[in-house]
Structures are given as C-alpha cells and as structure tokens.
Amino acid sequence: MAAAQGRSSDGAGGMDDVKDTQTEEREGAGVPEVPPAFSGAVEALRGARLRPQVEVEPTPAPQRLAPYAHALEAVVTEGEQELADGRLVLLHDPAGHDAWRGTFRLVTLVRAELEAEMAADPLLPEVCWSWLTGALQSRGLTYGEPSGTVTRASSHYFGGLSERPAASQIEIRASWTPMEGRGGVPDTAAHLASWCDLLAQVGGLPPAGAGDASVVTLPQRRGPQSR
C-alpha cells in the first residue's frame, strides 16, 4: 500500500529513527527464538475480524524500538477512493520497559485530509484524541501509559504549483500499553479492531456499531483522494 509509505516522524509516538526489518531476519541473524507471548500476540492480529473498508497488510517492522516488533499498515477505502491511512506497530520487550510499565507497547500513526476550516478549529486536537481513547473504550479494552500528539498542517502552493488547491491534513501519533492477559498475551485482535475503528472515523465513515457517546465527530470532511 503505497499510501502508507514515506511518512516522516517526529518521534512523538515513538516511531522515529526506524530501520525496517522482519522478525524472521532477526532470527536468522542469531537472535534467540521468538517468545511465545509475542508469537501469540502476532497470531491474534492475523485472526482479527475487521471492517471491510479497512485494508490491512503486514509491513516491515522497526528493529530499534524493541527486541521484537510486528507492523501493519492500513488504508481506509470507499470504492476506489482513499479516505485515511496509517501504521500500527506491536512492540515487545520480554524484560519489560519502565516507560511502558509492561512488556508490550502499541505505536500508531494515522493520517487523513480535512477541510481547511475544520483544520482551523481550536478543538480539533482534543476531538481527535477522543477518537483514539473512545475507540479503545468502546471495546472495553484496558490500557495504560497513553501518550501522543495530534498535528494539523496546511499546504499552500505557489508558482508552477499554484493551480493546486490548498490542502489541510490531520495526523495522530500515539502509543499505549495493552493489558496483558493469559500467558502474558494482550488481546491484540481487539486492539487492532479498535485501531481500525479509529482509522474509519478519521476517514469520515460512520461507526460500525453503537459508538461511545463521549466521542465527538467532525461534521465536514475534505474530499477523498483517488488511489
């Protein structure tokens, strides 16, 4: 999915200085066998039931953020139009991580375009953050140590590009620690489904089911991009 590639990162969600690799490559280089808890968490991701408008596929994972990592990228589509895209990374450190307060961490980057006037709304950052927390809460998920940023940016074109209309974009970078369940494995399938709910909401799609009444939705969207 080319739409989710080439994203810059300021590290707010922990995705900066990323060098991509695959778990299998690390194993071949002499790294010990993958812990069962991590294998179980990844397997659960593969079995998650997701909204049909969200296309998810594996992507090379970062190697510098944790001993073990698995990454997914996604695009929200409606027909042939792209509404939003993002990346979700599952990190695992069997020894635990003080900042995470656990052995697993989920890190995400989500992007979409908006109407310029909506991007100027002073409440936009709080609204977008509520989308993330509301998506997790609506599925009854327990998590800790959430952190992140909501960034809005506008592009104006000049000279040879002056015919292009101004564009405004919202970007959510976040990370959180999922609660570990039986065998030390978090419910990664539910976290992935919640993340897809967030993507769909950022993309302007209606909720799949009963939503969280505390979550606010934006009334206007910028026209979707062609894929």
Side-chain angles (χ1 to χ4, degrees):
M1 298 180 186
Q5 298 174 354
R7 304 304 191 219
S8 60
S9 175
D10 60 11
M15 296 184 69
D16 59 330
D17 195 21
V18 169
K19 180 179 180 181
D20 290 332
T21 186
Q22 295 287 357
T23 300
E24 291 81 2
E25 294 174 356
R26 293 200 302 273
E27 292 175 349
V31 175
E33 182 179 355
V34 176
F38 182 69
S39 297
V42 172
E43 187 62 29
L45 288 174
R46 293 169 178 159
R49 299 180 63 184
L50 309 175
R51 293 183 61 156
Q53 301 97 331
V54 184
E55 301 176 5
V56 180
E57 64 182 27
T59 189
Q63 71 172 11
R64 298 182 181 180
L65 302 180
Y68 302 94
H70 182 79
L72 301 169
E73 64 181 11
V75 175
V76 180
T77 62
E78 191 171 50
E80 293 298 316
Q81 296 176 320
E82 177 184 320
L83 304 177
D85 62 67
R87 173 184 279 196
L88 182 69
V89 180
L90 174 67
L91 304 175
H92 179 54
D93 186 342
H97 195 293
D98 290 341
W100 303 352
R101 295 185 181 272
T103 63
F104 284 91
R105 189 75 170 171
L106 285 162
V107 183
T108 187
L109 167 64
V110 173
R111 305 186 354 154
E113 290 195 2
L114 298 173
E115 292 286 353
E117 58 269 26
M118 296 310 301
D121 188 333
L123 296 180
L124 181 66
E126 289 79 6
V127 169
C128 290
W129 187 255
S130 78
W131 290 346
L132 170 63
T133 57
L136 294 169
Q137 293 167 5
S138 67
R139 291 183 180 270
L141 292 170
T142 302
Y143 61 95
E145 307 304 315
S147 64
T149 63
V150 176
T151 304
R152 47 189 167 186
S154 297
S155 298
H156 299 267
Y157 301 94
F158 302 92
L161 301 177
S162 60
E163 293 184 359
R164 293 187 183 182
S168 297
Q169 186 178 79
I170 191 70
E171 181 177 273
I172 303 172
R173 299 174 186 266
S175 62
W176 65 94
T177 299
M179 183 184 70
E180 297 172 16
R182 181 177 300 179
V185 181
D187 188 354
T188 51
H191 281 272
L192 175 57
S194 294
W195 180 68
C196 288
D197 291 341
L198 169 65
L199 271 171
Q201 189 162 23
V202 171
L205 295 181
D212 185 343
S214 67
V215 177
V216 182
T217 58
L218 290 180
Q220 298 181 19
R221 302 281 319 164
R222 182 178 178 84
Q225 300 173 321
S226 296
R227 301 186 69 192

